[in-house]
Amino acid sequence: MSLFNRLLKKRGIEGESTGIDPQNVPNHIAIIMDGNGRWAKKRKLPKILGHREGSNVLKKIVKYCDKIGVKYLTVYAFSTENWKRPEKEVDELMDLLLEKLKNAEKELGGDQAQIKVIGNIKGLSTEIQKEIKRVEESTGKNSGICLNIALNYGGRDEIVNAVKDLITDVEKGIIKKAEITEEYFSKKLYTWYLPDPDLLIRTSGEKRHSNYLLWQMAYTEFWYTEVLWPDINESYIDEAIIEYQKRNRRYGGV
Ligand code: FPP
């Protein structure tokens, strides 16, 4: 039995080798879960059912990533720009997010996942804020994958907030302007506790960054697929990882 199959077996997955090198699984995967609307439209279903199916797929992918050894998964659930969508869609999405957060231990992360939310949390309803606090506390000591849900998240908004924080630190004399480093700046971001993503997966054929993890993705490898998010399954994650493992990451060096 191959090393990878033995690793899968140890983690409770039986089956054929997926072709992934178990020694080089990305530590942190970021995902833009795009195409829920088109998935629903193709089936003449209300858009919210596309988002609902998308959240079912997310649950499956979190479980799979945990099993293959991914340590951090960060998913784009609602951007600072998504407020511009029709009121009905925003309301339905917020209701779905609240429902999933209420049952996050079962519905999103499984038993062992640590669940966190990144973004402008104060801009969300008090009910959602309460659930975020609850789920972060209740899963905080779990030892499995860290699932980060980007909610009311915008990369530019995050950077502007970090700059404001930095200015406050300088004004209070906590740090001198000349002493500010990239590392110090990183600690002011919503993702202060996270390593940078190694791999970004975007579904549905769009090839944009969409204000997602702008600072953090300086050296992230991007992988795109035409497949709509609700049609994603474990084999596409394998495909993305296999492609990632072929890349030569030079970080600007030779
Ligand atoms: C983009 O598809 C998707 C979103 C804006 C929402 C993503 C939300 C989920 C997958 C469900 C809930 C998530 C959690 C964490 C419980 P789109 O609507 O832009 O699709 P389209 O481009 O085909 O219209």
Side-chain angles (χ1 to χ4, degrees):
M1 189 185 278
S2 72
L3 177 62
F4 189 68
N5 279 350
R6 281 207 300 279
L7 185 79
L8 289 185
K9 195 158 185 225
K10 211 169 125 200
R11 291 188 167 135
I13 306 177
E14 297 284 351
E16 288 303 300
S17 164
T18 59
I20 296 175
D21 171 3
Q23 311 293 348
N24 187 22
V25 171
N27 191 40
H28 183 179
I29 298 182
I31 306 185
I32 303 180
M33 309 177 287
D34 206 355
N36 296 343
R38 277 162 282 170
W39 184 91
K41 198 172 176 192
K42 264 168 68 181
R43 288 162 179 76
K44 298 191 169 47
L45 292 170
K47 195 165 185 183
I48 190 61
L49 291 189
H51 293 311
R52 192 167 277 283
E53 188 56 23
S55 62
N56 295 336
V57 168
L58 175 60
K59 177 182 175 181
K60 200 161 67 178
I61 297 307
V62 173
K63 212 170 152 195
Y64 184 64
C65 284
D66 192 23
K67 283 189 172 161
I68 62 173
V70 175
K71 295 280 180 283
Y72 305 90
L73 185 67
T74 304
V75 296
Y76 213 178
F78 194 88
S79 75
T80 44
E81 287 70 38
N82 285 154
W83 297 108
K84 291 185 229 154
R85 292 189 175 208
E87 200 180 329
K88 182 172 180 280
E89 185 185 350
V90 170
D91 288 349
E92 287 177 341
L93 246 177
M94 287 298 153
D95 287 348
L96 175 66
L97 288 164
L98 181 61
E99 178 193 319
K100 294 291 166 183
L101 284 169
K102 279 187 174 162
N103 302 293
E105 292 87 337
K106 259 208 320 230
E107 286 296 319
L108 290 178
D111 291 345
Q112 279 312 308
Q114 222 187 103
I115 300 172
K116 290 183 175 293
V117 175
I118 56 167
N120 186 350
I121 292 169
K122 287 194 183 117
L124 296 162
S125 73
T126 46
E127 227 184 337
I128 292 186
Q129 289 186 45
K130 203 178 105 204
E131 274 316 311
I132 291 172
K133 196 165 177 283
R134 184 201 64 76
V135 77
E136 288 189 342
E137 278 172 14
S138 104
T139 65
K141 292 202 167 66
N142 287 349
S143 56
I145 192 167
C146 176
L147 170 66
N148 307 285
I149 303 171
L151 236 184
N152 197 18
Y153 174 89
R156 289 184 172 182
D157 171 66
E158 178 182 40
I159 291 169
V160 168
N161 280 324
V163 169
K164 286 180 185 165
D165 258 17
L166 270 183
I167 292 171
T168 307
D169 281 6
V170 172
E171 282 171 353
K172 284 186 175 163
I174 296 168
I175 191 164
K176 291 196 179 78
K177 185 176 152 192
E179 291 166 356
I180 296 170
T181 59
E182 289 183 10
E183 207 187 351
Y184 192 89
F185 186 81
S186 297
K187 298 291 174 218
K188 297 288 179 195
L189 298 170
Y190 298 133
T191 53
W192 60 270
Y193 60 93
L194 284 171
D196 288 343
D198 300 292
L199 172 65
L200 169 76
I201 295 176
R202 183 167 191 161
T203 58
S204 90
E206 310 294 352
K207 294 189 177 69
R208 284 185 295 274
H209 214 277
S210 296
N211 203 13
Y212 193 38
L213 302 171
L214 294 180
W215 170 274
Q216 298 86 342
M217 293 211 283
Y219 287 103
T220 299
E221 298 293 331
F222 286 14
W223 185 82
Y224 302 105
T225 176
E226 297 292 322
V227 178
L228 306 175
W229 176 252
D231 289 325
I232 287 291
N233 59 40
E234 294 85 341
S235 70
Y236 293 103
I237 304 300
D238 289 345
E239 208 181 309
I241 295 177
I242 290 165
E243 168 67 27
Y244 162 84
Q245 292 181 336
K246 289 183 193 151
R247 306 259 179 100
N248 179 11
R249 302 185 76 190
R250 290 192 300 272
Y251 301 94
V254 285

XYZ file of all heavy atoms in Angstrom, residues 27-29 62 65-66 69-75 109 112-118 136 139-140 142-149 193-195:
263
model
N -0.722 23.773 3.369
C -1.043 24.005 4.778
C -2.340 24.806 4.906
O -3.174 24.545 5.752
C 0.132 24.805 5.365
C 0.101 24.922 6.857
O -0.227 23.972 7.550
N 0.440 26.113 7.356
N -2.491 25.778 3.983
C -3.639 26.688 4.044
C -4.249 26.828 2.643
O -3.571 27.254 1.708
C -3.161 28.058 4.567
C -4.258 29.056 4.753
N -4.020 30.322 5.223
C -5.600 28.995 4.543
C -5.162 30.990 5.291
N -6.136 30.201 4.872
N -5.517 26.478 2.524
C -6.237 26.658 1.245
C -7.304 27.739 1.435
O -8.053 27.722 2.428
C -6.902 25.335 0.787
C -5.840 24.249 0.537
C -7.733 25.553 -0.474
C -6.397 22.918 0.024
N -14.764 20.617 3.888
C -14.059 20.849 5.166
C -13.598 19.503 5.728
O -12.439 19.330 6.116
C -14.980 21.552 6.208
C -14.306 21.631 7.573
C -15.372 22.944 5.740
N -10.732 18.070 3.539
C -9.457 18.787 3.728
C -8.837 18.408 5.066
O -7.624 18.228 5.171
C -9.671 20.298 3.633
S -9.901 20.851 1.944
N -9.672 18.297 6.090
C -9.171 17.898 7.409
C -8.505 16.521 7.314
O -7.410 16.310 7.820
C -10.349 17.866 8.395
C -9.887 17.750 9.841
O -8.724 18.125 10.118
O -10.665 17.290 10.677
N -5.073 16.418 5.657
C -3.990 17.094 6.364
C -3.860 18.589 6.116
O -2.863 19.199 6.513
N -4.881 19.195 5.472
C -4.866 20.664 5.336
C -5.145 21.231 6.730
O -6.043 20.759 7.425
C -5.961 21.119 4.335
C -6.056 22.630 4.260
C -5.721 20.516 2.958
N -4.364 22.220 7.131
C -4.525 22.726 8.506
C -5.479 23.922 8.595
O -6.123 24.125 9.622
C -3.161 23.146 9.085
C -2.187 21.972 9.247
C -2.496 21.189 10.513
C -1.588 20.015 10.735
N -1.922 18.852 9.893
N -5.516 24.705 7.529
C -6.366 25.909 7.526
C -7.140 25.990 6.216
O -6.554 25.803 5.141
C -5.526 27.187 7.647
C -4.604 27.209 8.846
C -3.304 26.714 8.750
C -5.039 27.714 10.071
C -2.451 26.724 9.851
C -4.193 27.734 11.173
C -2.901 27.238 11.060
O -2.071 27.249 12.141
N -8.429 26.300 6.328
C -9.267 26.489 5.142
C -10.010 27.807 5.341
O -10.654 27.997 6.388
C -10.252 25.317 5.054
C -11.143 25.243 3.825
C -10.303 24.970 2.576
C -12.169 24.117 3.982
N -9.889 28.710 4.385
C -10.539 30.021 4.535
C -11.488 30.237 3.365
O -11.062 30.225 2.204
C -9.475 31.140 4.620
O -8.601 30.825 5.702
C -10.102 32.499 4.872
N -12.772 30.389 3.661
C -13.779 30.452 2.591
C -14.486 31.803 2.581
O -14.771 32.379 3.629
C -14.807 29.301 2.730
C -14.139 27.947 2.557
C -15.575 29.353 4.046
N -18.290 22.152 10.394
C -16.921 21.755 10.725
C -16.693 20.332 11.159
O -15.561 19.880 11.219
N -14.247 18.017 15.150
C -12.953 18.493 15.620
C -12.490 19.838 15.057
O -11.445 20.351 15.436
C -11.883 17.420 15.344
C -11.876 16.304 16.401
C -11.900 16.866 17.817
O -11.098 17.719 18.179
N -12.860 16.425 18.625
N -13.256 20.404 14.132
C -12.794 21.652 13.493
C -12.892 22.839 14.445
O -13.792 22.929 15.279
C -13.607 21.928 12.243
N -11.934 23.718 14.284
C -11.969 24.996 14.992
C -12.611 25.968 14.009
O -12.146 26.061 12.872
C -10.522 25.411 15.209
C -10.227 25.976 16.557
C -8.816 26.500 16.590
O -8.619 27.689 16.508
N -7.841 25.610 16.692
N -13.647 26.681 14.434
C -14.332 27.570 13.484
C -14.135 29.021 13.901
O -14.349 29.382 15.066
C -15.832 27.210 13.391
C -15.986 25.755 12.920
C -16.563 28.162 12.438
C -17.394 25.216 12.964
N -13.714 29.831 12.925
C -13.503 31.252 13.202
C -14.125 32.083 12.083
O -14.312 31.580 10.973
C -12.012 31.561 13.282
C -11.368 30.961 14.523
C -9.911 31.353 14.593
C -9.265 30.890 15.861
N -9.782 31.562 17.062
N -14.423 33.336 12.399
C -14.978 34.231 11.377
C -14.039 35.411 11.222
O -13.581 35.984 12.223
C -16.403 34.686 11.764
C -16.936 35.709 10.769
C -17.351 33.477 11.820
N -13.723 35.764 9.957
C -12.904 36.958 9.721
C -13.728 37.967 8.934
O -14.546 37.594 8.092
C -11.587 36.628 8.958
C -11.856 35.912 7.627
C -10.641 35.818 9.829
C -10.654 35.855 6.704
N -17.098 30.362 18.026
C -15.644 30.489 18.197
C -15.226 29.958 19.564
O -14.212 29.289 19.690
C -15.200 31.944 18.004
C -15.272 32.369 16.541
C -14.640 33.727 16.241
O -14.436 34.538 17.183
O -14.364 33.989 15.065
N -15.713 25.974 19.758
C -14.805 25.132 18.957
C -13.336 25.518 19.157
O -12.452 24.886 18.587
C -15.135 25.238 17.445
O -14.880 26.584 17.008
C -16.578 24.861 17.151
N -13.123 26.541 19.967
C -11.785 27.129 20.109
C -10.687 26.158 20.501
O -9.535 26.349 20.128
N -10.689 22.876 19.795
C -10.639 21.691 18.925
C -9.294 21.577 18.239
O -8.627 22.580 17.983
C -11.764 21.746 17.878
C -13.117 21.466 18.505
O -13.195 21.038 19.657
N -14.174 21.714 17.757
N -8.928 20.341 17.924
C -7.574 20.136 17.388
C -7.549 19.905 15.880
O -6.493 19.723 15.291
C -6.949 18.928 18.084
O -7.808 17.824 17.889
N -8.732 19.891 15.237
C -8.774 19.617 13.797
C -8.511 20.855 12.960
O -7.985 21.869 13.449
N -8.916 20.777 11.709
C -8.705 21.873 10.755
C -9.289 23.181 11.293
O -10.293 23.179 12.010
C -9.351 21.504 9.397
C -8.918 22.451 8.286
C -10.876 21.435 9.497
C -9.270 21.963 6.880
N -8.651 24.291 10.950
C -9.184 25.600 11.326
C -9.960 26.151 10.126
O -9.376 26.451 9.091
C -8.026 26.525 11.718
S -8.545 28.187 12.097
N -11.282 26.207 10.268
C -12.140 26.741 9.200
C -12.398 28.220 9.474
O -12.972 28.575 10.511
C -13.474 25.980 9.158
C -14.546 26.597 8.255
C -14.142 26.548 6.779
C -15.901 25.912 8.453
N -11.953 29.060 8.557
C -12.161 30.504 8.702
C -13.214 30.939 7.704
O -13.035 30.742 6.501
C -10.857 31.256 8.415
C -9.741 30.717 9.264
O -9.685 30.986 10.453
N -8.879 29.907 8.659
N -14.275 31.524 8.209
C -15.353 31.965 7.323
C -15.217 33.474 7.150
O -15.292 34.221 8.135
C -16.728 31.603 7.929
C -16.805 30.080 8.181
C -17.859 32.054 7.012
C -18.034 29.647 8.968
N -3.819 35.600 13.061
C -3.438 34.298 13.648
C -3.153 33.230 12.591
O -2.874 32.075 12.933
C -4.568 33.808 14.576
C -5.883 33.627 13.836
C -6.245 32.399 13.302
C -6.741 34.709 13.617
C -7.423 32.248 12.589
C -7.912 34.569 12.909
C -8.241 33.333 12.406
O -9.398 33.190 11.680
N -3.254 33.624 11.307
C -3.161 32.634 10.222
C -1.876 32.751 9.405
O -1.418 33.861 9.150
C -4.315 32.868 9.229
C -5.703 32.421 9.627
C -6.721 32.934 8.623
C -5.760 30.907 9.716
N -1.358 31.606 8.920
C -0.287 31.712 7.917
C -0.915 32.123 6.590
O -2.129 31.979 6.408
C 0.245 30.269 7.826
C -0.896 29.404 8.249
C -1.726 30.213 9.227
